[in-house]
Amino acid sequence: KVVWGSVLLFSILNILVSGDLYATLYGMILPMMWSTHQEPITNIFGHGFGYRNFDDVKDNSTNSRLFGLLTFGQCLHNNHHARPNAYYYGTNYTEVDPGGALAWLIKK
């Protein structure tokens, strides 16, 4: 309830300040709604379905290329557990980490 109340409050404030409903919808509301679903998607698909690059990691973390793209790299979870301090979780050209690429770009 607190999360959705915050979304509503910030949405109303953004509409009042910007005067643009579409900018608020596409620039704020949809990304906020998607981010609330990324955590459970990562927990489900990052700990049970997919493949492992690092079998020496002592847990059930897995990778998913498709959900890795949809969650901005979070579902490259076995790679994350093997290298927790890395900001880019892809280990080869087939594992794309959009969030890590953005972090690399910001770092530059």
Side-chain angles (χ1 to χ4, degrees), residues 33-78:
M33 289 174 62
W34 178 247
S35 69
T36 62
H37 292 85
Q38 280 186 304
E39 190 71 30
I41 288 171
T42 300
N43 284 332
I44 292 167
F45 291 98
H47 289 107
F49 301 100
Y51 63 95
R52 294 171 58 90
N53 286 335
F54 300 95
D55 288 325
D56 57 332
V57 175
K58 305 284 190 241
D59 58 27
N60 63 349
S61 62
T62 58
N63 295 326
S64 169
R65 287 182 185 91
L66 172 63
F67 287 103
L69 281 172
L70 294 174
T71 60
F72 300 94
Q74 290 184 33
C75 277
L76 297 174
H77 215 57
N78 180 247

Side-chain angles (χ1 to χ4, degrees), residues 2-106:
V2 173
V3 171
W4 294 113
S6 299
V7 169
L8 182 61
L9 174 67
F10 284 114
S11 298
I12 291 169
L13 289 173
N14 195 36
I15 291 169
L16 292 174
V17 170
S18 71
D20 190 347
L21 175 65
Y22 291 107
T24 301
L25 177 65
Y26 294 111
M28 195 172 111
I29 295 173
L30 291 177
M32 288 172 76
M33 289 174 62
W34 178 247
S35 69
T36 62
H37 292 85
Q38 280 186 304
E39 190 71 30
I41 288 171
T42 300
N43 284 332
I44 292 167
F45 291 98
H47 289 107
F49 301 100
Y51 63 95
R52 294 171 58 90
N53 286 335
F54 300 95
D55 288 325
D56 57 332
V57 175
K58 305 284 190 241
D59 58 27
N60 63 349
S61 62
T62 58
N63 295 326
S64 169
R65 287 182 185 91
L66 172 63
F67 287 103
L69 281 172
L70 294 174
T71 60
F72 300 94
Q74 290 184 33
C75 277
L76 297 174
H77 215 57
N78 180 247
N79 298 350
H80 160 68
H81 281 243
R83 302 177 311 165
N85 293 330
Y87 61 87
Y88 188 86
Y89 295 132
T91 59
N92 58 53
Y93 72 94
T94 65
E95 296 177 341
V96 179
D97 178 0
L102 181 60
W104 176 84
L105 189 64
I106 291 170

